[in-house]
């Protein structure tokens, strides 16, 4: 087998995003197997920068990722990571620093920045999950509500399907939100504006945007909702996928927010109430 994907900055960057979403929990964000979970496995999680791993071909890495390794903590990922994303992972692993002097995130950071800087945000997509393009025009959606939590302020927006459902009494009437309902939660870093009367807390620089989409067939294993977190890289000002190095950590799949939202299963997994007008 040969890797069908070119060894470009964009492919390596996309492989890094898959890695951070699915592999970093054990192998660590620097791919050296130095997480608490990885170190305490028997045998320990592999240092992917090591010569032992780096001598494997892309095809061998593909097989290991897809099929796992018996009697170790390395599972088979073929049901969770697509063939294309597995080839991206192989490209990323072979672009890790060989001497271990720099972190994977630092080594690939410049490549990822080049790829992202040339990107339209609508090209971003969570592996096996939501695409930014599915929320085109969200900036002008009506406001559902606002929030202020710690160091962030947020506006929660909804598309027409979502707003109509709220106005019809959902979820208070016990009915689920219909397929096609979408929410966007835009977070800004909070700042105090002393130039305004009362020194109010107002939005500063944007931090991220979170998306939710109701599609009961596509996301049947996460309550009918797909979730996506897109952070803003302070250095470039571009959006990127949320990952396990963020606070809170974000896995890169459609279910990244599902565990948290099970607390409000009775409200069809939606926290935000429609603000009184």
């Amino acid at each position: 087998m040969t890797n069908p994907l070119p060894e470009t900055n964009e492919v390596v960057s996309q492989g890094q995003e898959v890695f951070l979403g699915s592999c970093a929990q054990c192998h660590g964000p620097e791919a050296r197997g130095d997480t608490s979970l990885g170190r305490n496995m028997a045998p320990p999680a592999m240092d992917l920068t090591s010569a032992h791993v780096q001598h494997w071909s892309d095809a061998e890495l593909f097989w290991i990722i897809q099929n796992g390794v018996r009697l170790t903590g390395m599972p088979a990922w073929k049901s969770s990571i697509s063939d294309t994303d597995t080839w991206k992972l192989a490209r990323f692993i072979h672009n890790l620093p060989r001497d271990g002097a720099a972190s994977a995130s630092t080594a690939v950071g410049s490549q990822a920045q080049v790829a992202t800087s040339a990107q339209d945000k609508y090209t971003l997509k969570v592996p096996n999950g939501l695409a930014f393009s599915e929320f085109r025009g969200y900036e002008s959606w009506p406001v559902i509500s606002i929030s202020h939590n710690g160091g962030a302020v947020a506006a929660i927006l909804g598309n027409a399907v979502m707003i109509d459902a709220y106005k019809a009494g959902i979820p208070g009437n016990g009915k689920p939100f219909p397929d096609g309902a979408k929410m966007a939660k835009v977070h800004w870093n909070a700042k105090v504006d002393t130039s305004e009367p009362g020194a109010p807390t107002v939005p500063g620089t944007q931090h991220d945007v979170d998306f939710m989409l109701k599609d009961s067939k596509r996301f049947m294993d996460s309550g009918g909702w797909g979730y996506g977190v897109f952070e803003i890289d302070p250095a470039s000002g571009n959006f990127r996928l949320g990952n396990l190095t963020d606070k809170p950590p974000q896995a890169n799949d459609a279910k990244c927010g599902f565990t948290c939202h099970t607390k409000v299963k009775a409200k069809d997994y939606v926290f935000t109430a429609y603000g009184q007008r």
Side-chain angles (χ1 to χ4, degrees):
M1 298 171 68
T2 23
N3 195 328
L5 303 179
E7 190 176 355
T8 63
N9 290 339
E10 184 173 6
V11 169
V12 172
S13 174
Q14 291 171 352
Q16 182 191 28
E17 294 294 348
V18 177
F19 174 84
L20 292 171
S22 299
C23 315
Q25 183 176 3
C26 297
H27 292 282
E30 298 183 353
R32 298 182 59 82
D34 55 358
T35 67
S36 177
L37 181 60
R39 286 194 303 268
N40 287 288
M41 288 180 172
M46 281 283 187
D47 175 355
L48 303 184
T49 69
S50 68
H52 180 76
V53 173
Q54 289 295 323
H55 87 280
W56 289 328
S57 67
D58 279 11
E60 289 171 316
L61 289 174
F62 181 94
W63 192 95
I64 291 168
I65 295 165
Q66 289 279 291
N67 296 284
V69 182
R70 293 182 65 243
L71 305 179
T72 76
M74 178 63 185
W77 287 95
K78 64 173 60 177
S79 63
S80 304
I81 300 179
S82 69
D83 286 4
T84 299
D85 282 345
T86 305
W87 287 121
K88 292 176 183 178
L89 273 173
R91 289 293 188 204
F92 166 72
I93 291 169
H94 278 146
N95 275 271
L96 290 167
R98 301 301 195 268
D99 59 4
S103 72
S105 57
T106 301
V108 184
S110 59
Q111 298 172 326
Q113 184 171 335
V114 169
T116 305
S117 63
Q119 271 185 337
D120 179 353
K121 63 184 178 183
Y122 294 115
T123 64
L124 294 173
K125 184 181 185 300
V126 175
N128 303 313
L130 298 180
F132 211 117
S133 59
E134 296 180 85
F135 293 82
R136 190 180 295 272
Y138 73 91
E139 299 92 338
S140 61
W141 289 354
V143 173
I144 296 169
S145 189
I146 58 174
S147 68
H148 179 199
N149 190 350
V153 294
I156 301 93
L157 316 173
N159 70 345
V161 178
M162 193 77 191
I163 298 297
D164 288 345
Y166 271 119
K167 290 181 177 179
I170 298 173
N173 58 11
K175 295 182 179 180
F177 287 95
D179 283 2
K182 300 178 183 181
M183 301 177 72
K185 188 173 187 178
V186 185
H187 284 103
W188 293 272
N189 296 306
K191 70 173 185 179
V192 175
D193 190 344
T194 56
S195 67
E196 295 188 26
T201 298
V202 298
T205 56
Q206 188 177 348
H207 185 275
D208 65 82
V209 61
D210 305 340
F211 293 137
M212 285 177 65
L213 165 63
K214 183 66 175 289
D215 188 327
S216 54
K217 293 182 179 179
R218 181 180 170 191
F219 304 116
M220 60 188 305
D221 59 346
S222 55
W225 290 93
Y227 303 85
V229 175
F230 297 88
E231 303 277 340
I232 290 183
D233 174 31
S236 66
N238 293 316
F239 285 98
R240 62 168 177 81
L241 301 185
N243 59 54
L244 294 176
T245 67
D246 292 322
K247 296 180 181 180
Q250 301 290 340
N252 275 334
D253 56 45
K255 299 185 288 184
C256 68
F258 180 53
T259 301
C260 177
H261 283 258
T262 55
K263 299 175 183 178
V264 285
K265 181 179 179 180
K267 296 195 293 184
D268 196 22
Y269 302 96
V270 173
F271 281 103
T272 307
Y274 191 69
Q276 183 179 358
R277 302 295 196 268

Coordinates of all heavy atoms in Angstrom, one line a residue, residues 195-251:
S195 N -14.2 53.2 30.1 CA -14.6 54.4 29.4 C -16.2 54.5 29.4 O -16.7 55.6 29.1 CB -14.1 54.4 28.0 OG -14.7 53.4 27.2
E196 N -16.9 53.5 29.7 CA -18.3 53.5 29.6 C -18.9 53.7 31.1 O -18.3 53.2 32.0 CB -18.9 52.2 29.0 CG -18.6 52.1 27.5 CD -19.3 50.9 26.9 OE1 -20.4 50.5 27.4 OE2 -18.8 50.3 25.9
P197 N -20.1 54.3 31.2 CA -20.6 54.4 32.5 C -20.8 53.1 33.2 O -21.4 52.2 32.6 CB -22.0 55.1 32.2 CG -21.8 55.8 30.9 CD -20.9 54.9 30.1
G198 N -20.4 53.0 34.5 CA -20.5 51.8 35.3 C -19.5 50.8 35.0 O -19.5 49.7 35.5
A199 N -18.5 51.0 34.1 CA -17.4 50.1 33.7 C -17.9 48.7 33.5 O -17.6 47.8 34.2 CB -16.4 50.1 34.8
P200 N -18.8 48.6 32.4 CA -19.4 47.2 32.2 C -18.4 46.2 31.6 O -17.3 46.6 31.1 CB -20.4 47.6 31.1 CG -19.8 48.7 30.3 CD -19.2 49.6 31.4
T201 N -18.7 45.0 31.8 CA -17.9 43.9 31.2 C -18.4 43.7 29.8 O -19.6 43.4 29.6 CB -18.0 42.6 32.0 OG1 -17.5 42.8 33.3 CG2 -17.3 41.4 31.4
V202 N -17.5 43.8 28.8 CA -17.9 43.7 27.4 C -17.1 42.7 26.7 O -16.0 42.3 27.2 CB -17.8 45.1 26.7 CG1 -18.8 46.1 27.4 CG2 -16.4 45.6 26.8
P203 N -17.5 42.3 25.4 CA -16.6 41.4 24.6 C -15.3 42.1 24.3 O -15.2 43.2 23.8 CB -17.4 41.1 23.4 CG -18.9 41.5 23.8 CD -18.8 42.6 24.8
G204 N -14.2 41.3 24.4 CA -12.9 41.7 23.9 C -12.6 41.0 22.6 O -13.4 40.9 21.7
T205 N -11.4 40.4 22.6 CA -11.0 39.6 21.4 C -11.9 38.3 21.4 O -12.2 37.7 22.5 CB -9.6 39.2 21.5 OG1 -9.2 38.5 22.7 CG2 -8.7 40.5 21.3
Q206 N -12.2 37.8 20.2 CA -12.9 36.5 20.2 C -12.1 35.4 20.5 O -10.9 35.3 20.2 CB -13.5 36.3 18.7 CG -14.5 35.2 18.7 CD -15.1 35.0 17.3 OE1 -15.0 35.9 16.5 NE2 -15.8 33.9 17.1
H207 N -12.6 34.4 21.3 CA -11.9 33.3 21.7 C -12.2 32.0 20.9 O -11.3 31.3 20.5 CB -12.2 33.0 23.2 CG -11.5 31.9 23.8 ND1 -11.8 30.5 23.7 CD2 -10.3 31.9 24.5 CE1 -10.9 29.8 24.3 NE2 -10.0 30.6 24.8
D208 N -13.5 31.8 20.6 CA -13.9 30.6 19.9 C -15.3 30.7 19.4 O -16.0 31.6 19.8 CB -13.6 29.3 20.7 CG -14.6 29.2 21.9 OD1 -15.7 28.8 21.7 OD2 -14.1 29.6 23.0
V209 N -15.8 29.7 18.7 CA -17.2 29.5 18.4 C -17.5 28.1 18.5 O -16.8 27.2 18.0 CB -17.6 30.1 17.0 CG1 -16.8 29.4 15.9 CG2 -19.1 30.1 16.8
D210 N -18.6 27.8 19.2 CA -19.1 26.4 19.3 C -20.4 26.2 18.5 O -21.2 27.1 18.5 CB -19.4 26.1 20.8 CG -18.2 26.3 21.7 OD1 -17.1 26.4 21.2 OD2 -18.5 26.5 22.9
F211 N -20.5 25.0 17.9 CA -21.7 24.8 17.0 C -22.4 23.5 17.5 O -21.8 22.6 18.0 CB -21.3 24.5 15.6 CG -20.7 25.8 14.9 CD1 -19.6 25.7 14.1 CD2 -21.3 27.0 15.0 CE1 -19.1 26.8 13.4 CE2 -20.8 28.1 14.4 CZ -19.7 28.0 13.6
M212 N -23.7 23.5 17.3 CA -24.6 22.3 17.5 C -25.5 22.2 16.4 O -26.1 23.2 15.9 CB -25.4 22.4 18.8 CG -24.6 22.2 20.1 SD -25.6 22.4 21.6 CE -26.8 21.0 21.4
L213 N -25.7 21.0 15.9 CA -26.6 20.8 14.8 C -27.5 19.5 15.1 O -26.9 18.5 15.4 CB -25.9 20.5 13.5 CG -26.6 19.9 12.3 CD1 -27.7 20.8 11.8 CD2 -25.7 19.6 11.1
K214 N -28.8 19.6 14.9 CA -29.7 18.5 15.2 C -29.9 17.7 13.9 O -30.4 18.3 12.9 CB -31.1 19.0 15.7 CG -32.0 17.9 16.1 CD -31.5 17.1 17.3 CE -32.5 16.0 17.7 NZ -33.7 16.6 18.4
D215 N -29.5 16.5 13.9 CA -29.7 15.6 12.8 C -29.8 14.2 13.4 O -28.8 13.5 13.7 CB -28.6 15.6 11.8 CG -28.8 14.8 10.5 OD1 -29.5 13.8 10.6 OD2 -28.4 15.2 9.4
S216 N -31.0 13.7 13.7 CA -31.2 12.5 14.5 C -30.7 11.3 13.9 O -30.4 10.3 14.5 CB -32.7 12.4 14.8 OG -33.5 12.4 13.6
K217 N -30.5 11.2 12.5 CA -30.0 10.1 11.9 C -28.5 10.1 11.8 O -27.8 9.1 12.1 CB -30.6 9.9 10.5 CG -32.1 9.6 10.4 CD -32.6 9.5 9.0 CE -34.1 9.2 9.0 NZ -34.6 9.1 7.6
R218 N -27.9 11.2 11.5 CA -26.5 11.4 11.3 C -25.8 11.3 12.7 O -24.7 10.7 12.7 CB -26.2 12.7 10.7 CG -24.8 13.1 10.4 CD -24.7 14.5 9.8 NE -23.3 15.0 9.7 CZ -23.0 16.2 9.4 NH1 -24.0 17.1 9.1 NH2 -21.8 16.6 9.3
F219 N -26.4 11.8 13.7 CA -25.8 11.8 15.1 C -26.6 11.0 16.1 O -26.8 11.4 17.2 CB -25.6 13.2 15.5 CG -24.8 14.1 14.6 CD1 -25.4 15.2 14.0 CD2 -23.5 13.8 14.3 CE1 -24.7 16.0 13.1 CE2 -22.8 14.6 13.4 CZ -23.4 15.7 12.8
M220 N -27.1 9.8 15.6 CA -28.0 9.0 16.5 C -27.3 8.5 17.8 O -27.9 8.2 18.8 CB -28.6 7.9 15.7 CG -27.6 6.9 15.1 SD -28.3 5.7 14.0 CE -29.6 5.0 15.1
D221 N -25.9 8.4 17.7 CA -25.2 7.9 18.9 C -24.8 9.0 19.9 O -24.1 8.8 20.8 CB -24.0 7.1 18.5 CG -23.0 7.9 17.7 OD1 -23.4 9.0 17.2 OD2 -21.9 7.4 17.5
S222 N -25.2 10.3 19.6 CA -24.9 11.4 20.5 C -26.2 12.2 20.7 O -26.2 13.5 20.7 CB -23.8 12.2 20.0 OG -24.0 12.7 18.7
G223 N -27.3 11.5 21.0 CA -28.5 12.2 21.3 C -29.2 13.0 20.1 O -30.1 13.8 20.3
G224 N -28.7 12.7 18.9 CA -29.3 13.4 17.7 C -28.6 14.7 17.4 O -28.9 15.3 16.4
W225 N -27.6 15.1 18.2 CA -26.9 16.3 18.0 C -25.4 16.1 17.6 O -24.8 15.2 18.2 CB -26.9 17.2 19.3 CG -28.2 17.7 19.7 CD1 -29.2 17.2 20.5 CD2 -28.8 19.0 19.2 NE1 -30.3 18.0 20.6 CE2 -30.1 19.1 19.8 CE3 -28.4 20.0 18.4 CZ2 -30.9 20.2 19.6 CZ3 -29.2 21.1 18.2 CH2 -30.5 21.2 18.8
G226 N -24.9 16.9 16.7 CA -23.5 16.9 16.4 C -22.9 18.2 17.1 O -23.6 19.2 17.1
Y227 N -21.7 18.1 17.5 CA -21.1 19.2 18.2 C -19.7 19.5 17.6 O -19.0 18.7 17.0 CB -20.8 18.8 19.7 CG -22.0 18.4 20.5 CD1 -22.5 17.1 20.4 CD2 -22.7 19.3 21.3 CE1 -23.6 16.7 21.2 CE2 -23.8 19.0 22.0 CZ -24.3 17.7 21.9 OH -25.4 17.3 22.6
G228 N -19.3 20.8 17.6 CA -18.1 21.2 17.1 C -17.5 22.4 17.8 O -18.3 23.3 18.1
V229 N -16.2 22.4 18.1 CA -15.6 23.6 18.7 C -14.5 24.1 17.8 O -13.6 23.3 17.4 CB -15.0 23.2 20.1 CG1 -14.2 24.3 20.7 CG2 -16.1 22.7 21.0
F230 N -14.5 25.4 17.5 CA -13.5 26.0 16.7 C -12.8 27.1 17.4 O -13.5 28.2 17.6 CB -14.1 26.4 15.3 CG -14.7 25.3 14.5 CD1 -16.0 24.9 14.7 CD2 -13.9 24.7 13.6 CE1 -16.5 23.8 13.9 CE2 -14.4 23.6 12.8 CZ -15.7 23.2 13.0
E231 N -11.6 26.9 17.8 CA -10.9 27.9 18.6 C -10.2 28.9 17.6 O -10.1 28.6 16.4 CB -9.8 27.2 19.4 CG -10.3 26.2 20.4 CD -10.8 26.8 21.7 OE1 -10.4 27.9 22.0 OE2 -11.5 26.1 22.4
I232 N -9.8 30.1 18.2 CA -9.1 31.0 17.4 C -7.6 31.0 17.8 O -7.3 31.2 19.0 CB -9.7 32.5 17.5 CG1 -11.0 32.5 16.8 CG2 -8.7 33.5 16.9 CD1 -11.7 33.9 16.8
D233 N -6.7 30.9 16.9 CA -5.3 30.9 17.2 C -4.9 32.3 17.4 O -4.9 33.1 16.4 CB -4.5 30.2 16.0 CG -3.0 30.4 16.2 OD1 -2.6 30.4 17.3 OD2 -2.3 30.5 15.2
P234 N -4.4 32.7 18.6 CA -4.1 34.1 18.8 C -3.0 34.6 17.9 O -3.0 35.8 17.5 CB -3.6 34.1 20.3 CG -4.2 32.9 20.9 CD -4.2 31.9 19.8
A235 N -2.0 33.8 17.5 CA -0.9 34.2 16.7 C -1.3 34.6 15.3 O -0.9 35.6 14.8 CB 0.2 33.1 16.6
S236 N -2.2 33.8 14.7 CA -2.6 34.0 13.3 C -3.9 34.7 13.2 O -4.3 35.3 12.2 CB -2.6 32.7 12.5 OG -3.6 31.9 13.0
G237 N -4.8 34.6 14.2 CA -6.1 35.1 14.2 C -7.1 34.2 13.4 O -8.2 34.6 13.1
N238 N -6.6 33.0 13.0 CA -7.4 32.1 12.3 C -8.1 31.1 13.2 O -7.6 30.7 14.2 CB -6.6 31.3 11.2 CG -6.0 32.3 10.2 OD1 -6.8 33.1 9.6 ND2 -4.8 32.2 9.9
F239 N -9.2 30.5 12.7 CA -9.9 29.5 13.4 C -9.1 28.2 13.2 O -8.5 27.9 12.2 CB -11.3 29.3 12.9 CG -12.3 30.3 13.3 CD1 -12.6 31.4 12.5 CD2 -12.9 30.2 14.6 CE1 -13.5 32.4 12.9 CE2 -13.8 31.2 15.0 CZ -14.1 32.2 14.2
R240 N -9.2 27.3 14.2 CA -8.7 25.9 14.1 C -9.6 25.0 14.9 O -10.5 25.5 15.7 CB -7.3 25.9 14.7 CG -7.2 26.3 16.2 CD -5.9 25.9 16.9 NE -5.8 26.3 18.2 CZ -6.3 25.6 19.3 NH1 -7.0 24.5 19.1 NH2 -6.2 26.1 20.5
L241 N -9.4 23.7 14.8 CA -10.3 22.8 15.5 C -9.8 22.8 17.0 O -8.6 22.9 17.3 CB -10.1 21.4 15.0 CG -10.5 21.1 13.5 CD1 -10.3 19.6 13.2 CD2 -11.8 21.6 13.2
G242 N -10.8 22.7 17.9 CA -10.5 22.5 19.3 C -9.7 21.2 19.5 O -9.9 20.2 18.7
N243 N -8.9 21.1 20.5 CA -8.1 19.8 20.7 C -7.9 19.6 22.2 O -8.3 20.4 23.1 CB -6.8 19.8 19.9 CG -5.9 21.0 20.3 OD1 -5.6 21.2 21.5 ND2 -5.5 21.8 19.3
L244 N -7.2 18.5 22.5 CA -7.0 18.1 23.9 C -6.1 19.0 24.7 O -6.0 18.9 25.9 CB -6.5 16.7 24.0 CG -7.5 15.6 23.5 CD1 -6.8 14.3 23.5 CD2 -8.7 15.6 24.3
T245 N -5.4 20.0 24.0 CA -4.5 20.9 24.8 C -5.3 22.1 25.2 O -4.8 23.0 26.0 CB -3.3 21.3 23.9 OG1 -3.8 22.1 22.8 CG2 -2.6 20.1 23.4
D246 N -6.5 22.3 24.8 CA -7.4 23.4 25.1 C -8.0 23.3 26.5 O -8.0 22.2 27.1 CB -8.5 23.6 24.1 CG -8.0 24.0 22.7 OD1 -7.0 24.8 22.7 OD2 -8.5 23.5 21.7
K247 N -8.4 24.4 27.1 CA -9.1 24.3 28.4 C -10.5 24.8 28.2 O -10.8 26.0 27.9 CB -8.4 25.2 29.3 CG -6.9 24.7 29.7 CD -6.2 25.6 30.6 CE -4.8 25.2 30.9 NZ -4.1 26.1 31.9
P248 N -11.6 23.9 28.4 CA -11.4 22.5 28.6 C -10.9 21.7 27.4 O -11.1 22.2 26.3 CB -12.8 22.1 29.1 CG -13.7 23.0 28.3 CD -13.0 24.3 28.3
P249 N -10.3 20.5 27.6 CA -9.9 19.7 26.4 C -11.1 19.4 25.5 O -12.2 19.1 26.0 CB -9.3 18.5 27.1 CG -9.0 18.9 28.5 CD -10.1 19.9 28.9
Q250 N -10.8 19.4 24.2 CA -11.9 19.1 23.3 C -11.4 18.0 22.3 O -10.4 18.1 21.7 CB -12.2 20.3 22.4 CG -12.6 21.5 23.2 CD -14.0 21.3 23.8 OE1 -14.8 20.5 23.4 NE2 -14.4 22.1 24.8
A251 N -12.1 16.9 22.4 CA -11.8 15.8 21.4 C -12.4 16.2 20.0 O -13.4 16.9 20.0 CB -12.5 14.5 21.9

